[in-house]
Amino acid sequence: MVGALDALFKPRSVALVGASANPSKLGNVVLRNLLHGRFKIYPVNPRESEILGLPCYRSVLDIEGPVDLALVSVPAQSALAPVRECVKKGVDVAIVTSSGFRESGPAGAELERSLVEAVQGSKTRLLGPNTMGVFVPSRRLDTLLIPKDKSRRPRRGGIAMLSQSGAISVSFLERAAASGLGVSACVGLGNKADIEENNLIEYLGDDPATRCIALYLESFADGAGFLTAAGRISADKPIVLLKAGRTAAGSHAASSHTGAIASSSDALIDDVLRQAGVARAYDEEELIDIAKALSLTGSIRGDRICVVASAGGYGVVAADYVESKERGAGLRMAQLSPETRSELEKVIPEFSSTSNPVDLTAGVTDAMYDAVLGLLQRDPGVDGIMMSLELQPPNVTSKLVEITERRAISEGAPIVVSAFGGERTSALIRVLERRGVLAYPTIWRAVRALQALAERGAYLKRRKTRSEDPR
Amino acid sequence: MVGALDALFKPRSVALVGASANPSKLGNVVLRNLLHGRFKIYPVNPRESEILGLPCYRSVLDIEGPVDLALVSVPAQSALAPVRECVKKGVDVAIVTSSGFRESGPAGAELERSLVEAVQGSKTRLLGPNTMGVFVPSRRLDTLLIPKDKSRRPRRGGIAMLSQSGAISVSFLERAAASGLGVSACVGLGNKADIEENNLIEYLGDDPATRCIALYLESFADGAGFLTAAGRISADKPIVLLKAGRTAAGSHAASSHTGAIASSSDALIDDVLRQAGVARAYDEEELIDIAKALSLTGSIRGDRICVVASAGGYGVVAADYVESKERGAGLRMAQLSPETRSELEKVIPEFSSTSNPVDLTAGVTDAMYDAVLGLLQRDPGVDGIMMSLELQPPNVTSKLVEITERRAISEGAPIVVSAFGGERTSALIRVLERRGVLAYPTIWRAVRALQALAERGAYLKRRKTRSEDPR
């Protein structure tokens, strides 16, 4: 499978069956997205001789050179013949993008079976049907069905995204682009008639560009296989999963979306995922929030959090979220050492609190933030720092961005920033994000990130203990 | 008290003790914020004869005319004398902004007691100390301690905000401004040495401009009084409360922030609030999200939600959140009537689902959204509609904004929009918000809004039944 998947992630040649000269057609949008790729591109359409300056082929069989990847972008009813031709041509991977297969009822399921039969026993593997295809920025490979001006793509980076929903992967990419987060690859799984998540997880496990894997799944192709694949990889690369269809209503909805079939109970899934070291997200925002934390910061060594804020109210809300098990992260508020507290007393305002949360009050200055973060990072009783950043205090300047960046990348307890407010605050978060500082627009999302980092730390510790245990 | 509070919300004259000619001083910032108010303004500072073109007074006692409201903006240690002068002058309300009182320890608590003693038995009421003061856009009354260019203020509207944290109220105002939400008043409660939340709730209950009250509290000044006040008002005006300090760590933090003392258990609070018809928020974002829903849409009549999406994946995530009691809203997915389903079949694409969630697929058009929303709004089995809006499908245009707006204000089940994505999606949400459409950037926040609306509907129904019940 790995050989075939190389063709999916780094093809040298791509054919587009259903290429169109009409700018309003999907077959034209996709061709334009492919044009700047680092591979040969062959448009296929029996009714055209040239599209966008490229010679057009009647069929993949008419292409002289080898074809690593073929995109079959024709209606469901017409997809079988070109897939058969792909098999005959010896194409490594055929991606069928159209819907109207298993998710649409018995007739579509029959069509899907015929696609699978067509590739069975051949060297050709099938991605989809019912998928947006693949996006690999390092190769400029972009088969997504949406023009770039309608949906921004992110830069190259360490997060791989696998998704059973095209829309969720596209909005994931948009959010990543907006946050300056980089992506190694994004693959739409569609109906998973052949290639499924486990094949891809195994492949990405060995991909040096991928540091973290984010998954949106409505069903497991093979639950045991997933746990094996995830368990093998998650020692090196964190995995975060949004498993939708966790209620009766959701799993009913999933069956008409991607033909997914409900599996085990949700609580059981929870338990098993934890054992395999897979972080769990419950929605589209948490998925990218956690992927961001795991790819940028990795883990924290324990669950003792120190909160620092210039606004006492945010300190209180943060403390509640750190500690509460029911509505919160179930972490612990760190006990600061007597040394840290007496050092804090020297730098923070007179009426401020040196216990946790550390309250810097509206009298805060840039230098105070710098000194306090440094002291907290060095306290051995602090595993992670949650910094609630407010722009309103009069002596806070734009230098705080550099200070926060320097502290965030320095030795000592990792820092997660939270900043809630209007447009100026949103702009601050974007600046911090682009500098690689873990920053979120609400207290809860920052605490949730710390929770994911603490769980990752605990998992890595368990794993180390197990491998050192002689029994 | 109501007479005095008139002076807080609609003063005819305002004195600023601690007015400063130095633009970097707080006493100058506040004076500039006050300059355009619909009231007389008297700067007080014994060392100046004129500030910003206004004659300056040595003391409030030197002011010839009556003073309704006095802002005492001097350090804690110097606050007592001017407060005593306010009493002597017969000022209705004195606001003490500085910190360094009860929240800072025994000496500060002693100072605070002396302030309270100074006003006791007089006509003068005290707001604070340790408060940002008051913001009333209809009177252009703005005592907030932050320049307008550092923190945008919202327009005039129906939400009143009372807060025991200055920073949380300021960021609430910034978020309201960014969303085009209007505010009737915002009051910083500070240490609540005299005027407390119940006085203000009673007052705002009779204020025709206020349609909804949002509260951030770290403690209840008088729990029984709160329930009485809230219960009386919440039949007409919804109340939403963020009660911080719900854990041991949070309530410890609250004690050093505003000197709040932990009261009852959190579960008890939950129960009692529900009986009084008070919605509960758990953080700064939920507080404004719920206030927005309650002030714009009021309530929905039941808990049967229909989800409509062009992206199947979002339909699945939404269905999970609607139904799940553990991690979700615990509402019900509506059963569409056979009539609705057969009408839907005529307008939505062939492979789409006519059950709930209704899946419009990427083939969705503006007209399809319009027709589908109309059908769902008329189905008697649908109490609320959650519309997941995606901008990526090729036939979705900017006309969808007007269609959504028209449907949202028409008869039939209310609509809540969710749209997750990058910059274009954020811009769409801002446009919808400014047109008064309830819109949120994630599935969960939209479903959470529907939950608040359903709880409000259930409360109003219970209340009606009780009042009709002859027993």
Side-chain angles (χ1 to χ4, degrees), chain B residues 146-165:
Chain B
I146 299 165
K148 289 191 177 77
D149 61 331
K150 272 207 143 184
S151 185
R152 242 183 96 200
R153 316 292 206 255
R155 63 177 182 77
R156 180 175 170 168
I159 301 175
M161 159 76 178
L162 308 177
S163 177
Q164 220 167 327
S165 154

Side-chain angles (χ1 to χ4, degrees), chain A residues 150 152 167 171 174-175 245-247 249 257 283-284 311 313-314 320-321 323 327 392-393 421-424 443, chain B residues 150 152 167 171 174-175 245-247 249 257 283-284 311 313-314 320-321 323 327 392-393 421-424 443:
Chain A
K150 273 207 140 183
R152 241 183 96 198
S171 53
E174 286 183 14
R175 277 282 177 114
R246 60 193 166 88
T247 62
H257 176 223
D283 61 41
E284 68 284 10
Y314 286 121
D320 279 338
Y321 268 141
E323 202 176 77
R327 281 188 184 257
Q392 294 83 10
E423 286 97 346
R424 282 179 72 232
I443 296 279
Chain B
K150 272 207 143 184
R152 242 183 96 200
S171 53
E174 286 184 13
R175 276 283 178 115
R246 58 192 169 87
T247 61
H257 177 222
D283 61 41
E284 68 284 11
Y314 285 120
D320 280 338
Y321 268 142
E323 203 176 76
R327 281 189 184 257
Q392 294 83 8
E423 287 98 344
R424 285 180 70 232
I443 296 279

Side-chain angles (χ1 to χ4, degrees), chain A residues 218-233:
Chain A
E218 294 181 0
S219 62
F220 294 106
D222 165 10
F226 176 78
L227 295 175
T228 309
R232 182 174 82 78
I233 284 159

Side-chain angles (χ1 to χ4, degrees), chain B residues 175-399:
Chain B
R175 276 283 178 115
S179 311
L181 264 186
V183 161
S184 61
C186 177
V187 182
L189 296 164
N191 290 4
K192 307 194 287 194
D194 179 20
I195 296 175
E196 33 78 335
E197 62 271 21
N198 301 333
N199 311 136
L200 296 168
I201 291 170
E202 292 280 2
Y203 181 89
L204 294 167
D206 296 326
D207 171 36
T210 298
R211 287 196 311 270
C212 169
I213 301 173
L215 289 156
Y216 170 80
L217 294 181
E218 295 180 1
S219 62
F220 294 105
D222 164 10
F226 176 79
L227 294 175
T228 308
R232 183 176 80 78
I233 284 158
S234 59
D236 293 324
K237 300 184 185 187
I239 299 175
V240 51
L241 166 68
L242 167 50
K243 168 65 182 67
R246 58 192 169 87
T247 61
S251 88
H252 169 77
S255 73
S256 66
H257 177 222
T258 48
I261 289 157
S263 49
S264 326
S265 92
D266 194 62
L268 182 67
I269 288 175
D270 222 32
D271 204 46
V272 163
L273 291 177
R274 190 171 300 113
Q275 285 174 39
V278 176
R280 188 158 185 196
Y282 285 87
D283 61 41
E284 68 284 11
E285 186 169 72
E286 230 179 39
L287 186 67
I288 191 160
D289 278 357
I290 295 176
K292 183 164 88 171
L294 294 173
S295 67
L296 289 178
T297 302
S299 66
I300 58 177
R301 70 187 165 208
D303 63 353
R304 298 163 306 172
I305 308 302
C306 185
V307 174
V308 56
S310 69
Y314 285 120
V316 181
V317 173
D320 280 338
Y321 268 142
V322 165
E323 203 176 76
S324 172
K325 282 189 171 66
E326 297 78 31
R327 281 189 184 257
L331 303 171
R332 285 183 293 163
M333 288 292 279
Q335 291 276 4
L336 300 183
S337 74
E339 296 73 36
T340 302
R341 293 190 64 167
S342 77
E343 289 297 316
L344 280 174
E345 250 168 41
K346 296 177 196 159
V347 291
I348 72 174
E350 200 186 336
F351 303 126
S352 311
S353 165
T354 62
S355 68
N356 181 10
V358 180
D359 182 1
L360 304 182
T361 77
V364 67
T365 62
D366 296 346
M368 205 189 294
Y369 267 121
D370 197 10
V372 168
L373 289 173
L375 288 170
L376 298 178
Q377 285 191 302
R378 282 193 296 277
D379 189 317
V382 174
D383 299 318
I385 296 167
M386 147 88 207
M387 174 185 180
S388 171
L389 212 161
E390 291 86 35
L391 283 180
Q392 294 83 8
N395 300 316
V396 165
T397 77
S398 57
K399 278 187 196 136

Side-chain angles (χ1 to χ4, degrees), chain A residues 234-245:
Chain A
S234 59
D236 293 323
K237 301 185 185 187
I239 299 176
V240 51
L241 167 69
L242 167 50
K243 168 63 182 69

